Short mmCIF file of all heavy atoms in Angstrom, two decimals:
data_model
loop_
_atom_site.label_atom_id
_atom_site.label_comp_id
_atom_site.label_asym_id
_atom_site.label_seq_id
_atom_site.Cartn_x
_atom_site.Cartn_y
_atom_site.Cartn_z
N HIS B 354 -43.86 -69.58 55.72
CA HIS B 354 -45.29 -69.31 55.64
C HIS B 354 -45.53 -67.83 55.90
O HIS B 354 -44.81 -67.20 56.66
CB HIS B 354 -46.05 -70.17 56.65
CG HIS B 354 -47.50 -70.35 56.31
ND1 HIS B 354 -48.44 -69.37 56.54
CD2 HIS B 354 -48.17 -71.38 55.73
CE1 HIS B 354 -49.62 -69.80 56.13
NE2 HIS B 354 -49.49 -71.02 55.62
N MET B 355 -46.56 -67.31 55.28
CA MET B 355 -46.84 -65.87 55.43
C MET B 355 -47.51 -65.54 56.76
O MET B 355 -47.61 -64.37 57.12
CB MET B 355 -47.68 -65.36 54.26
CG MET B 355 -49.07 -65.94 54.12
SD MET B 355 -49.10 -67.73 53.71
CE MET B 355 -48.67 -67.68 51.95
N SER B 356 -47.94 -66.54 57.49
CA SER B 356 -48.63 -66.29 58.75
C SER B 356 -47.75 -66.61 59.95
O SER B 356 -47.21 -67.72 60.05
CB SER B 356 -49.90 -67.15 58.85
OG SER B 356 -50.77 -66.86 57.78
N SER B 357 -47.66 -65.66 60.86
CA SER B 357 -46.94 -65.89 62.12
C SER B 357 -47.59 -67.07 62.84
O SER B 357 -48.80 -67.12 62.98
CB SER B 357 -47.02 -64.64 63.00
OG SER B 357 -46.53 -63.52 62.30
N GLY B 358 -46.78 -68.00 63.28
CA GLY B 358 -47.30 -69.12 64.06
C GLY B 358 -47.66 -70.34 63.24
O GLY B 358 -47.85 -71.43 63.80
N ALA B 359 -47.74 -70.18 61.94
CA ALA B 359 -48.13 -71.32 61.10
C ALA B 359 -47.12 -72.45 61.21
O ALA B 359 -47.48 -73.64 61.20
CB ALA B 359 -48.27 -70.88 59.64
N VAL B 360 -45.86 -72.09 61.33
CA VAL B 360 -44.82 -73.13 61.37
C VAL B 360 -44.91 -73.93 62.68
O VAL B 360 -44.77 -75.15 62.69
CB VAL B 360 -43.42 -72.51 61.18
CG1 VAL B 360 -42.35 -73.58 61.20
CG2 VAL B 360 -43.37 -71.74 59.85
N ALA B 361 -45.21 -73.23 63.78
CA ALA B 361 -45.38 -73.93 65.06
C ALA B 361 -46.58 -74.86 65.02
O ALA B 361 -46.55 -75.97 65.58
CB ALA B 361 -45.53 -72.90 66.19
N ASP B 376 -41.73 -67.05 59.28
CA ASP B 376 -43.20 -67.11 59.37
C ASP B 376 -43.74 -65.72 59.70
O ASP B 376 -43.53 -65.19 60.77
CB ASP B 376 -43.66 -68.15 60.40
CG ASP B 376 -43.25 -67.86 61.83
OD1 ASP B 376 -42.15 -67.31 62.04
OD2 ASP B 376 -44.03 -68.16 62.75
N GLY B 377 -44.43 -65.15 58.73
CA GLY B 377 -45.06 -63.84 58.93
C GLY B 377 -44.08 -62.81 59.47
O GLY B 377 -42.96 -62.69 58.96
N TRP B 378 -44.52 -62.06 60.48
CA TRP B 378 -43.65 -61.06 61.10
C TRP B 378 -42.99 -61.62 62.35
O TRP B 378 -42.46 -60.87 63.16
CB TRP B 378 -44.47 -59.82 61.50
CG TRP B 378 -45.22 -59.17 60.40
CD1 TRP B 378 -45.14 -59.43 59.06
CD2 TRP B 378 -46.19 -58.12 60.54
NE1 TRP B 378 -46.00 -58.61 58.36
CE2 TRP B 378 -46.65 -57.80 59.24
CE3 TRP B 378 -46.70 -57.41 61.63
CZ2 TRP B 378 -47.61 -56.80 59.01
CZ3 TRP B 378 -47.64 -56.42 61.41
CH2 TRP B 378 -48.10 -56.13 60.11
N HIS B 379 -43.04 -62.93 62.50
CA HIS B 379 -42.66 -63.55 63.77
C HIS B 379 -41.15 -63.77 63.90
O HIS B 379 -40.45 -62.95 64.46
CB HIS B 379 -43.46 -64.86 63.92
CG HIS B 379 -43.08 -65.69 65.10
ND1 HIS B 379 -42.84 -67.04 65.00
CD2 HIS B 379 -42.87 -65.36 66.39
CE1 HIS B 379 -42.53 -67.51 66.19
NE2 HIS B 379 -42.54 -66.51 67.05
N GLU B 380 -40.64 -64.86 63.29
CA GLU B 380 -39.22 -65.15 63.45
C GLU B 380 -38.64 -65.72 62.16
O GLU B 380 -39.36 -66.21 61.29
CB GLU B 380 -39.00 -66.17 64.59
CG GLU B 380 -39.05 -65.56 65.99
CD GLU B 380 -37.80 -65.90 66.82
OE1 GLU B 380 -36.68 -65.96 66.25
OE2 GLU B 380 -37.96 -66.09 68.03
#
Side-chain angles (χ1 to χ4, degrees):
Chain B
H354 201 282
M355 64 293 284
S356 300
S357 305
V360 181
D376 63 325
W378 303 351
H379 174 228
E380 280 233 37

